[in-house]
Structures are given as structure tokens and as C-alpha cells.
């Protein structure tokens, strides 16, 4: 398996252990899971080091280019928050189509991004329709037809007391919901 130029089941990364191309490494599926987690943490460390730059464009490209493969997300978008205009301003995305360049927060507060912005914490939704039923709340989902799944993660980007942006992930490649245990900690 390869992601961001790193082979996940390569002995040089995983610290040894035979890899059978027809099955899991020695030790069974638990060993495979441990190996995969170790490799993901190597990738997270590399991405964290790359994010220590002051260039917003570079941060945006890293966020939408290198993080999605780690959580199996098809789509990602990176918005900066302009508090003076109370708008989210698109800086980077990997969607095949054009997406909203500017979003007025007051007009679109009933969105997953609006919820993450208001709460100042990650919003993980395994199934948006189930979330709406449980919370008796209706999200504004103007572009719902563009997504294959009903699961998403929206993470506010914080700098001290200030929210500086939002990072969104949608559509797991394997069509499963995003996981609170596996995906959210990576986004954090």
C-alpha cells in the first residue's frame, strides 16, 4: 500500500517482519493493523513537519493533498475565516468541480462547517440524516447531490483564541462512514 510516497507495508518503514503478498504479515491481522498504524503515524509526523511553514498556500495544498489519503477521504477543502466579513474564504480543495469561493457564515450557519465554526471543535458525522433525526436539526445541504456518502468531518483551525479556518473531509473511498477512532485523531 502506498500513500504520499511512502510504502505502508515496506519492511524498511515497519521495522521488519515478512510480508506475504497473499496474506497478512507474520502475526496475523493484528500485526497488519499495528503495521498500518505505525506507517500512518510516520506519515502524520512528516505532514506535521511540512505544516510548520508560514505560507498559507502551502498549508492548504498539504491539507487537501496529503491528509485525505490517510483517512481515505475522496474530497477535502480548506477555508480561511475572515472575521471582519464573517466569511469563509476558499484557499484550497481537491474537488473535481468548482466549489463555493466565499461562504457568508450568517447566511449559511446551518451547515456542518457552520457548526464546527460555532463549536470551535471537530464535527464528525457518521451519517448526516441520522444526526439530523437524533438532534432534531436540519442542515442546509445545498450540494448534497455531489457527495456519494452522508459522512463527513469538519475541523476548525484554531490559533489561540481565534478560529482561523475550517478543514473539511467528505466521501470515504471505501463508502464506509468516517471513524471516530481511526479518522478523527488523524485530522486532529
Amino acid at each position: 500500500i502506498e500513500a504520499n510516497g511512502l510504502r505502508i507495508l515496506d519492511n524498511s518503514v515497519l521495522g521488519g517482519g515478512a510480508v506475504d503478498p497473499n496474506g497478512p504479515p507474520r502475526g496475523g491481522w493484528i500485526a497488519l493493523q499495528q503495521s498500518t498504524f505505525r506507517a500512518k503515524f510516520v506519515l502524520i509526523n512528516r505532514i506535521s513537519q511540512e505544516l510548520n511553514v508560514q505560507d498559507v498556500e502551502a498549508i492548504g495544498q498539504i491539507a487537501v493533498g496529503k491528509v485525505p489519503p490517510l483517512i481515505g477521504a475522496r474530497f477535502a477543502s480548506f477555508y480561511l475565516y475572515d472575521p471582519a466579513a464573517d466569511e469563509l474564504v476558499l484557499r484550497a480543495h481537491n474537488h473535481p468541480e468548482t466549489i463555493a469561493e466565499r461562504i457568508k457564515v450568517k447566511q449559511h450557519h446551518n451547515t456542518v462547517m457552520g457548526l464546527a465554526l460555532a463549536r470551535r471543535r471537530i464535527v464528525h458525522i457518521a451519517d448526516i440524516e441520522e444526526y439530523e433525526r437524533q438532534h432534531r436539526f436540519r442542515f442546509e445541504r445545498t450540494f448534497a447531490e455531489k457527495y456519494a456518502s452522508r459522512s463527513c468531518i469538519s475541523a476548525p483551525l484554531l490559533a489561540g483564541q481565534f478560529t482561523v479556518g475550517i478543514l473539511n473531509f467528505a466521501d470515504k473511498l471505501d463508502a464506509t462512514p468516517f471513524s471516530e477512532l481511526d479518522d478523527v485523531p488523524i485530522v486532529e
Side-chain angles (χ1 to χ4, degrees):
I1 301 169
E2 290 195 31
N4 295 323
L6 182 67
R7 292 183 58 121
I8 291 180
L9 295 180
D10 184 349
N11 288 339
S12 66
V13 173
L14 302 176
V19 177
D20 178 357
N22 299 315
R26 262 189 242 136
W29 291 110
I30 292 174
L32 176 62
Q33 285 291 77
Q34 289 173 338
S35 297
T36 302
F37 286 137
R38 271 191 298 231
K40 281 186 176 183
F41 286 121
V42 168
L43 290 171
I44 291 167
N45 185 37
R46 286 184 183 175
I47 291 169
S48 295
Q49 290 172 3
E50 288 179 43
L51 287 172
N52 286 325
V53 297
Q54 304 264 325
D55 179 16
V56 173
E57 299 303 322
I59 291 170
Q61 291 309 312
I62 292 166
V64 303
K66 295 189 176 188
V67 178
L70 289 174
I71 62 172
R74 178 169 307 172
F75 300 124
S77 59
F78 171 62
Y79 285 86
L80 289 182
Y81 177 59
D82 177 354
D86 198 26
E87 288 183 332
L88 291 168
V89 181
L90 182 66
R91 295 308 294 242
H93 72 92
N94 68 355
H95 294 243
E97 300 175 20
T98 303
I99 63 173
E101 294 281 330
R102 292 183 167 276
I103 300 170
K104 294 230 179 251
V105 176
K106 284 187 181 184
Q107 292 175 356
H108 301 283
H109 64 277
N110 286 341
T111 63
V112 176
M113 283 194 301
L115 186 59
L117 196 64
R119 288 184 175 176
R120 293 177 43 88
R121 61 186 165 99
I122 291 179
V123 174
H124 162 250
I125 297 180
D127 182 314
I128 200 161
E129 291 175 4
E130 182 63 28
Y131 182 95
E132 288 175 331
R133 274 192 296 279
Q134 286 179 354
H135 294 87
R136 296 186 176 150
F137 179 82
R138 186 64 96 188
F139 282 110
E140 173 188 326
R141 295 190 288 156
T142 309
F143 303 106
E145 75 282 350
K146 292 186 179 190
Y147 299 101
S149 76
R150 297 184 305 239
S151 184
C152 62
I153 298 173
S154 192
L157 306 174
L158 307 173
Q161 296 297 319
F162 302 100
T163 302
V164 296
I166 297 281
L167 184 57
N168 296 298
F169 300 97
D171 279 0
K172 287 278 282 193
L173 293 170
D174 64 4
T176 62
F178 287 104
S179 165
E180 187 80 29
L181 295 174
D182 298 329
D183 302 323
V184 171
I186 291 171
V187 173
E188 287 177 329

